[in-house]
Amino acid sequence: MTDHAALLSVAREAVAKATGIIRSMTSFSVAAKGDRDMVTDVDLAVEDAVREFLARETPEIGILGEERGHQGDENLWWALDPVDGTANFARGIPLCGVSLGLVDGLKSTVAAISLPFLDVTYTAAEGQGAYAGEERLQASKATKLSDAIVSIGDFAVGEGAEVKNRVRMALLAELGGRVQRVRFLGSAAIDLAWVAHGKLDASVILANKPWDTMAGVLLVREAGGVVVDTDGGDHTVRSAATIAVGAGLRDEIVAAIARVHG
């Protein structure tokens, strides 16, 4: 049986180490790694340091990092984004984070997200609640879209982006005319952590890269929110999208997405 409490302690220490690196590297280079996509020296330094730490502390657990790929066990593994929101970070925008989730089978069971420039760390373990520091989190209880602040994930880049972004534009029009406000934060880790924290009522990310999402998904669920795929089915690591929402708005958000896809 997985010792979630012990692994949560490891995850906390891992993101604390990452945060220290991010804060200490005041100068860095930026390189292109694809169409309108980038990587910095900091991304690479953080991932390498966290990989080394996790390999030492939990050698039996695999790891998938955004920059270095998957190594080790494919059933129980850490999902790491060393700097989620690299475009923000590279421009000096403080909306970025380190995201680390433990994936067991199809779902995450341990999570730690550090926001280095906002001085907060979010944590969760399956069945034990979600926290910002020592504060226990509660997802939004809103029941009307007109009261909701909803974040939308980044637009697609790379191959097939034009087709994918037609759906995002339609979603923006659909929600923009009905919700209180729409936000683009540029970091899936923050989107999901803030749904868990009740700062956002929903987050619609029409993608599901495990390093971006798996930690935040557990935070939302442990805070009493729900996370689903575009069809309203339960979110897993294999889902096509990541829709996180307070339980009272689940049906309305899923229906809005269905109208866009329809």
Side-chain angles (χ1 to χ4, degrees), residues 28-33 37-43 86-87 89-91:
F28 52 85
S29 64
V30 181
K33 68 173 186 178
D37 198 6
M38 67 192 70
V39 63
T40 72
D41 293 351
V42 179
D43 296 77
T86 297
F89 171 73
R91 294 292 188 101

Side-chain angles (χ1 to χ4, degrees), residues 2 7 10-11 14 47 50-66 68-81 99-105 109-110 210-211 214:
T2 304
L7 291 172
V10 171
E47 180 156 333
V50 173
R51 278 180 176 274
E52 181 181 351
F53 173 75
L54 293 175
R56 183 171 66 251
E57 297 293 322
T58 58
E60 72 284 5
I61 298 176
I63 181 168
L64 169 67
E66 179 177 7
R68 306 294 195 192
H70 199 129
Q71 294 177 328
D73 196 304
E74 295 189 357
N75 188 61
L76 183 66
W77 45 279
W78 296 106
L80 168 68
D81 194 332
S99 180
L100 182 65
L102 181 69
V103 181
D104 190 345
T109 57
V110 170
W211 51 82
M214 294 310 292

Side-chain angles (χ1 to χ4, degrees), residues 107 206 221 226-236 239-245 249-259 261:
K107 296 186 177 181
L206 295 181
R221 286 177 169 155
V226 295
V227 191
V228 297
D229 203 343
T230 50
D231 62 359
D234 203 23
H235 178 279
T236 75
S239 293
T242 309
I243 294 101
V245 59
L249 286 174
R250 171 181 178 159
D251 292 345
E252 286 205 71
I253 292 291
V254 170
I257 293 168
R259 287 191 291 272
H261 279 281

Side-chain angles (χ1 to χ4, degrees), residues 1 21 68 92 110-111 148 151 155 169 194 212 225 228 230 242 251:
M1 183 175 180
I21 295 169
R68 306 294 195 192
V110 170
S151 68
F155 275 50
M169 289 298 293
W194 283 1
D212 286 338
V228 297
T230 50
T242 309
D251 292 345

Side-chain angles (χ1 to χ4, degrees), residues 83-97 113 115 117-118 122 149-155 172 181-205 212 244:
V83 182
D84 183 64
T86 297
N88 286 348
F89 171 73
R91 294 292 188 101
I93 298 169
L95 298 180
C96 62
I113 292 175
L115 309 185
F117 303 113
L118 301 183
Y122 292 93
I149 296 181
V150 179
S151 68
I152 296 178
D154 282 343
F155 275 50
L172 180 58
R181 294 291 187 276
V182 172
R183 296 287 181 258
F184 288 87
L185 302 178
S187 166
I190 293 179
D191 287 340
L192 296 169
W194 283 1
V195 172
H197 206 159
K199 296 175 183 291
L200 298 171
D201 301 285
S203 171
V204 181
I205 303 169
D212 286 338

Side-chain angles (χ1 to χ4, degrees), residues 97-192:
V98 182
S99 180
L100 182 65
L102 181 69
V103 181
D104 190 345
L106 296 178
K107 296 186 177 181
S108 43
T109 57
V110 170
I113 292 175
S114 172
L115 309 185
F117 303 113
L118 301 183
D119 199 27
V120 60
T121 297
Y122 292 93
T123 57
E126 188 175 47
Q128 298 177 31
Y131 294 83
E134 299 300 318
E135 175 192 355
R136 185 150 186 171
L137 302 183
Q138 174 64 60
S140 167
K141 295 184 180 296
T143 58
K144 297 190 298 183
L145 278 182
S146 58
D147 294 331
I149 296 181
V150 179
S151 68
I152 296 178
D154 282 343
F155 275 50
V157 296
E159 186 176 356
E162 183 177 353
V163 173
K164 294 175 184 177
N165 286 334
R166 288 177 192 151
V167 176
R168 287 163 171 78
M169 289 298 293
L171 178 65
L172 180 58
E174 171 72 26
L175 292 177
R178 304 184 65 198
V179 304
Q180 187 181 98
R181 294 291 187 276
V182 172
R183 296 287 181 258
F184 288 87
L185 302 178
S187 166
I190 293 179
D191 287 340
L192 296 169

